[in-house]
Amino acid sequence: MTVNVVNGLLKAQQQWPNQPQRETVTRLLILNLMPNKLTTERQFLNRLATLTDDELEVTFMYPTTHQFKSLPRQLVADNYVSLADVADDHYDGLIVTGAPVEQLAFEDVDYWDEFQEIVDWAQTHVTQILFECWAAQAALYDQFKIKKQLVAQKVFGIYQATTVASQSRLVSGLSTGGLLKMPQSRHTRLMLPTRLPNDLQIVAANSEIGPLILTAPGQKSVYVTGHPEYEVDTLANEYFRDRRKQLPIKRPAHYFVDQSGQQIRYSWKTASCQFYQNWIDTLKLTKVGL
């Protein structure tokens, strides 16, 4: 599978080689809200590169109203597009990453207004939007007024689906035997109403932590509460980082092979690749009206 990148820090550092491009291309826009932008680029590109029989063109986007702390603002501006840059363009898919701002009220996030503007723009310029982690909670709040709530203990580890809407194309090949597994790393949970809004559906859930995947066809949106893009050592890096800082953190659930924390059970890779493949397939089916 070929993934060509239009911009981004990996391309600027010549760490992602582009290939000759074919005529039929699925165009993706990734709004990267993570501070570790280089790592996040690599995670998504490596996941997307596992897909079969697809040619993808990826463009990275940033919120101009964000006050950057981890990277020089000009470096990001030089290598990412803004909404103004792509306002007249159309994309097959938009992926909005998570962000380490979940303990803030949505309205207190410095790019909240711009986030809402991008979501509104995407309704007429993107075939479908995939929101992940904080972005999923933010979009559900923006679109359905669903609130979030701080949890007493961080949701942290690998969680498998205990219920799956097997008819959904998003879980094709993942609907039986706990095959759908997903990394989670968040301090909040969704406060879902007893009766969901008419357009909102739960595609997969875990009995302990709640929804893993939701969808709202009328909003052209898919909401994922975790991080399918995470690499094998991402949760380990977070865990040992917090321990070094003497922050309260428990071992990620269902992640390490044993108590030593030296060996990781990479149990979600196949499911993550299949999920992204399913999502890309839904974009192509939508384009042809199926």
Side-chain angles (χ1 to χ4, degrees), residues 106-107 109-117 134 138 141-142:
F106 292 119
E107 293 86 355
V109 175
D110 58 11
Y111 49 81
W112 175 245
D113 290 344
E114 186 176 5
F115 173 87
Q116 293 178 296
E117 185 180 3
W134 175 85
Y141 178 71
D142 176 45

Side-chain angles (χ1 to χ4, degrees), residues 138-158:
L140 288 167
Y141 178 71
D142 176 45
Q143 296 169 336
F144 296 103
K145 302 306 176 189
I146 292 174
K147 297 181 180 180
K148 63 180 178 179
Q149 182 181 53
L150 288 171
V151 294
Q153 181 176 313
K154 183 179 181 180
V155 180
F156 190 47
I158 310 301

Side-chain angles (χ1 to χ4, degrees), residues 103 123 157 199 274:
Q103 297 185 68
Q123 294 301 314
D199 188 45
Q274 184 65 60

Side-chain angles (χ1 to χ4, degrees), residues 47-267:
R47 274 287 181 262
L48 295 172
T50 65
L51 309 190
T52 59
D53 301 325
D54 289 288
E55 174 140 359
L56 305 180
E57 178 189 274
V58 174
T59 301
F60 288 100
M61 183 183 190
Y62 79 108
T64 62
T65 48
H66 179 50
Q67 299 299 313
F68 290 92
K69 297 178 182 178
S70 59
L71 286 172
R73 179 183 184 83
Q74 194 58 49
L75 177 65
V76 179
D78 288 345
N79 292 284
Y80 277 53
V81 299
S82 67
L83 177 58
D85 295 325
V86 298
D88 296 326
D89 294 344
H90 290 77
Y91 293 87
D92 298 300
L94 166 63
I95 298 174
V96 187
T97 75
V101 295
E102 58 177 328
Q103 297 185 68
L104 295 175
F106 292 119
E107 293 86 355
D108 290 341
V109 175
D110 58 11
Y111 49 81
W112 175 245
D113 290 344
E114 186 176 5
F115 173 87
Q116 293 178 296
E117 185 180 3
I118 292 169
V119 173
D120 289 344
W121 167 84
Q123 294 301 314
T124 54
H125 291 78
V126 175
T127 301
Q128 193 175 85
I129 317 164
L130 173 60
F131 298 98
E132 295 200 2
C133 201
W134 175 85
Q137 294 184 349
L140 288 167
Y141 178 71
D142 176 45
Q143 296 169 336
F144 296 103
K145 302 306 176 189
I146 292 174
K147 297 181 180 180
K148 63 180 178 179
Q149 182 181 53
L150 288 171
V151 294
Q153 181 176 313
K154 183 179 181 180
V155 180
F156 190 47
I158 310 301
Y159 291 86
Q160 71 178 36
T162 52
T163 59
V164 176
S166 57
Q167 75 279 6
S168 173
R169 288 178 171 138
L170 290 169
V171 290
S172 176
L174 298 170
S175 60
T176 58
L179 296 177
L180 176 56
K181 298 179 181 181
M182 187 182 298
Q184 300 278 336
S185 180
R186 51 187 169 87
H187 293 89
T188 54
R189 68 175 183 89
L190 294 169
M191 297 177 63
L192 292 176
T194 303
R195 182 174 180 178
L196 294 179
N198 289 336
D199 188 45
L200 186 62
Q201 306 158 21
I202 296 176
V203 173
N206 173 272
S207 57
E208 182 181 353
I209 65 168
L212 301 177
I213 303 171
L214 306 95
T215 184
Q219 299 290 335
K220 303 197 300 185
S221 298
V222 175
Y223 317 87
V224 173
T225 61
H227 290 275
E229 81 281 4
Y230 270 8
E231 296 169 321
V232 61
D233 59 352
T234 304
L235 291 183
N237 292 338
E238 291 184 17
Y239 172 65
F240 290 116
R241 176 202 65 197
D242 287 357
R243 294 228 3 218
R244 286 193 299 270
K245 294 181 178 180
Q246 298 185 334
L247 297 174
I249 184 71
K250 290 198 173 183
R251 294 163 59 87
H254 320 297
Y255 180 67
F256 291 123
V257 172
D258 54 35
Q259 292 298 312
S260 70
Q262 299 300 310
Q263 188 176 353
I264 297 164
R265 184 181 294 109
Y266 197 4
S267 61

